[in-house]
């Protein structure tokens, strides 16, 4: 393997260690940072994400509250839970686990979250603030990717970053953040309408795959020495495993690691950083609430 492995688990742990003193300082003031989670339905991936987030809160001495609704829950019922979280002073962060069941408008539910408690950074108010560079909660996965790049010592200023994917929660905010003056990358965004994907990816100093397509990025699509960040988490069938499937990213890891300069694994790359930035935002929200009190 020629590429340096960007160990998201280890880097996330370092960021979490840095949060410890802030949580303890709040505790001395009688404040426990609190995250409230709404989970609708029984989607196994959502259940495991929520469990991981709640465990991470507990490990750091934070509080998490969970409300579970059946998949048959209607929009009004979901909105009522969000309003209850908004009004609860012990809740500093509100997280609605996506996706929501068909027929429920995710946009409507997200809009209901108080921007002051929107630790996922999904509300239009926070997205707008992010775009114009005002203080806000940054969305956790893009924020985690940037932190990972920063703590790994990857140079962004003047680099050409190529983002494959333009979703509202990953690709678009990532492109916006990479183009900020403080990061100073030159950004290309690719999507299903991109004519020759490889032509773009091969020019990337920093290549970020967030397409949700298993092993889309092959070795011949990567510039030698590039930093490759794999956001994708995809389940593929694998009869050799007891559970019948395994997780793969959007990057053909085994082949690309021979070409790239640095690379994130799946799992153990971006995922742990995402959860860490959720904790980061929740601690920040608790500090802001304390300052307002
Ligand atoms: P999404 O909403 O499905 O968006 C995927 C984007 O990729 C779309 O913009 C799509 O283009 C583009 N795309 C798909 N296939 C492509 C192809 N063959 N060539 C070029 N572009 C392509 O997905 P998402 O929510 O952003 O998530 C992306 C991946 O990241 C998923 O695997 C998800 O599980 C994972 N994820 C991981 C974390 C983490 O913490 N590790 C967090 C969030 C998401 P169009 O716009 O043209 O359709």
């Amino acid at each position: 393997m020629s590429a340096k492995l960007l160990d998201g688990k280890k880097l996330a742990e370092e960021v979490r260690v840095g949060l410890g003193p802030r949580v303890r300082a709040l505790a001395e003031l009688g404040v426990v940072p609190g995250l409230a989670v709404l989970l609708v339905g029984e989607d196994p991936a959502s259940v495991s994400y929520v469990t991981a987030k709640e465990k991470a809160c507990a490990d750091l001495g934070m509080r998490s509250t969970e409300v579970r609704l059946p998949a048959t829950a209607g929009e009004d019922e979901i909105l009522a839970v969000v309003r209850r979280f908004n009004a609860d002073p012990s809740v500093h962060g509100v997280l609605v686990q996506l996706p929501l069941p068909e027929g429920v408008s995710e946009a409507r539910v997200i809009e209901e979250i108080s921007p002051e408690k929107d630790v996922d950074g999904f509300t239009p108010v926070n997205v707008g603030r992010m775009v114009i560079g005002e203080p806000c909660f940054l969305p956790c996965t893009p924020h985690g990717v940037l932190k990972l790049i920063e703590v790994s010592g990857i140079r962004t200023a003047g680099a050409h970053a190529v983002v494959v994917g333009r979703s509202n929660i990953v690709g678009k905010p990532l492109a916006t953040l990479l183009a900020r003056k403080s990061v100073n990358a030159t950004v290309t965004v690719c999507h299903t309408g991109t004519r020759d994907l490889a032509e773009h990816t091969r020019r990337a100093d920093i290549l970020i795959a967030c397409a949700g397509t298993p092993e889309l990025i092959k070795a011949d699509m990567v510039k030698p020495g590039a930093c490759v960040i794999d956001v994708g988490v995809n389940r593929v069938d694998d009869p050799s495993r007891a559970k019948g499937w395994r997780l793969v990213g959007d990057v053909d890891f085994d082949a690309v690691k021979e070409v790239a300069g640095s690379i994130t694994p799946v799992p153990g790359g971006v995922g742990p950083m995402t959860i860490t930035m959720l904790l980061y935002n929740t601690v920040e929200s608790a500090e802001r609430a304390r300052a307002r009190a």
Side-chain angles (χ1 to χ4, degrees):
M1 169 165 174
S2 60
K4 175 182 163 197
L5 192 72
L6 302 178
D7 183 346
K9 222 169 147 187
K10 186 162 157 272
L11 296 170
E13 188 51 41
E14 283 168 24
V15 178
R16 285 184 206 189
V17 166
L19 287 176
R22 291 169 64 181
V23 173
R24 287 192 288 279
L26 282 164
E28 277 169 24
L29 299 168
V31 177
V32 181
L35 178 71
V37 180
L38 172 59
L39 176 61
V40 186
E42 304 276 329
D43 173 57
S46 293
V47 171
S48 87
Y49 289 143
V50 164
T51 307
K53 288 166 186 173
E54 290 171 347
K55 182 180 176 311
C57 279
D59 289 349
L60 204 64
M62 293 164 53
R63 183 185 298 126
S64 67
T65 325
E66 182 188 309
V67 169
R68 277 196 195 203
L69 293 177
T72 50
E75 203 166 290
D76 286 348
E77 208 179 334
I78 293 171
L79 289 172
V81 174
V82 173
R83 287 190 199 110
R84 211 167 73 219
F85 287 162
N86 285 345
D88 183 342
S90 73
V91 170
H92 303 102
V94 174
L95 186 151
V96 177
Q97 185 64 44
L98 303 177
L100 291 171
E102 233 170 273
V104 176
S105 162
E106 287 186 355
R108 175 71 193 89
V109 172
I110 287 167
E111 260 177 52
E112 196 64 30
I113 298 171
S114 161
E116 279 67 42
K117 298 187 179 188
D118 170 28
V119 288
D120 256 337
F122 288 170
T123 60
V125 170
N126 275 310
V127 173
R129 286 180 182 154
M130 176 190 65
V131 171
I132 60 175
E134 290 286 316
C136 63
F137 292 118
L138 296 178
C140 299
T141 301
H143 195 187
V145 168
L146 277 195
K147 202 79 187 166
L148 186 75
I149 290 172
E150 181 193 314
V151 295
S152 304
I154 309 290
R155 191 177 161 77
T156 55
H160 181 202
V162 175
V163 180
V164 184
R166 59 174 165 189
S167 72
N168 288 339
I169 63 169
V170 189
K172 271 187 217 157
L174 248 177
T176 302
L177 293 173
L178 285 160
R180 274 186 171 180
K181 197 140 193 161
S182 56
V183 181
N184 244 4
T186 301
V187 184
T188 298
V189 180
C190 299
H191 42 75
T192 56
T194 299
R195 223 177 284 140
D196 184 348
L197 181 62
E199 186 211 333
H200 295 282
T201 59
R202 272 197 289 265
R203 288 191 291 112
D205 302 307
I206 300 172
L207 176 58
I208 304 178
C210 45
T213 303
E215 300 182 335
L216 172 70
I217 305 297
K218 307 291 183 199
D220 63 357
M221 296 168 74
V222 175
K223 179 180 181 173
C227 167
V228 179
I229 307 282
D230 192 352
V231 181
V233 180
N234 310 290
R235 270 188 194 194
V236 293
D237 292 342
D238 186 348
S240 73
R241 305 279 173 106
K243 49 194 175 192
W245 54 268
R246 71 191 152 92
L247 288 182
V248 298
D250 287 353
V251 173
D252 180 359
F253 182 85
D254 288 337
V256 171
K257 74 180 188 330
E258 301 303 331
V259 180
S262 52
I263 189 167
T264 59
V266 175
V270 173
M273 291 302 290
T274 295
I275 296 183
T276 297
M277 299 331 284
L278 178 72
L279 303 178
Y280 180 98
N281 282 351
T282 307
V283 171
E284 191 144 305
S285 178
E287 288 172 344
R288 287 186 202 167
R290 170 72 199 174
R292 282 196 300 269

